[in-house]
Amino acid sequence: MTAVLLLLGLMTATTTQAQATPQRLTGNATICSNSPVPAGWVITSSYSTGSCTGTGYLYTISDASTLTNATVCSYSPVPAGWVITSGYNSGICANTTFVYTITKLTTQANVTVCSYSPVPTGWVITSAYSTGGCTSAGYMYTLVKLTTQTNAAVCSFSPIPAGWVISGSYNTGSCADSGFGYYIRKA
């Protein structure tokens, strides 16, 4: 009897410990398009299928934490700290002809992105120009990370980071069609 109780106690402790530390899924997986894409994952392709009732589309998703660059469907979430560096036509994603190349920001101080790219916190737009490298947008932005700067010149449509103020404006031809930019400084 004591041996049975001891064995049950060990089984309960082992089961509790296994439940307390779930395994994190990594790599690639497939999900129906009506399933949420896990945070930090991207949609790398999709196709029509009869196995996803109600939606008819299956997504191939990848864990972005193991990547530095990826080609994703235009409707893929873009993880925090990533930017869209190009856009083009492709047939790898059902229900759209557009795919994006996304890049993880690591040690870069500046980067060129499509105008529909998210602008990460602490980064500003310093120039914008017409391009064919971003399907359906037509413009690319040069982003600069404000790290040790106390002053900067930015396009008028740039986000102004927290703790920075506009100290003046200027005329410019380097910010696409806006015609002017702002001088900003740390407050």
Side-chain angles (χ1 to χ4, degrees):
M1 175 80 157
T2 303
V4 170
L5 290 175
L6 183 60
L7 183 59
L8 283 174
L10 287 174
M11 288 174 47
T12 303
T14 303
T15 303
T16 303
Q17 184 179 21
Q19 290 173 349
T21 54
Q23 295 294 318
R24 185 179 189 283
L25 183 64
T26 60
N28 298 318
T30 55
I31 60 172
C32 291
S33 62
N34 60 345
S35 297
V37 176
W41 286 64
V42 293
I43 303 168
T44 56
S45 67
S46 65
Y47 55 93
S48 182
T49 180
S51 65
C52 289
T53 307
T55 67
Y57 294 100
L58 193 66
Y59 290 163
T60 302
I61 59 173
S62 296
D63 181 1
S65 70
T66 62
L67 307 171
T68 55
N69 292 294
T71 299
V72 301
C73 299
S74 61
Y75 43 77
S76 174
V78 177
W82 287 71
V83 292
I84 301 169
T85 55
S86 70
Y88 54 94
N89 291 319
S90 175
I92 65 169
C93 297
N95 235 9
T96 186
T97 58
F98 300 121
V99 295
Y100 299 152
T101 301
I102 61 173
T103 300
K104 184 177 187 176
L105 296 173
T106 53
T107 60
Q108 298 97 320
N110 60 55
V111 64
T112 304
V113 303
C114 296
S115 60
Y116 42 73
S117 176
V119 177
T121 302
W123 290 71
V124 293
I125 302 168
T126 58
S127 69
Y129 56 91
S130 190
T131 184
C134 293
T135 301
S136 79
Y139 289 99
M140 293 201 80
Y141 294 162
T142 301
L143 303 183
V144 173
K145 184 176 185 179
L146 297 176
T147 52
T148 60
Q149 299 95 321
T150 55
N151 295 293
V154 302
C155 294
S156 60
F157 46 83
S158 176
I160 308 299
W164 288 74
V165 295
I166 298 171
S167 59
S169 63
Y170 63 97
N171 293 324
T172 182
S174 65
C175 290
D177 295 331
S178 77
F180 71 100
Y182 294 135
Y183 294 112
I184 62 172
R185 65 177 172 79
K186 251 186 182 172

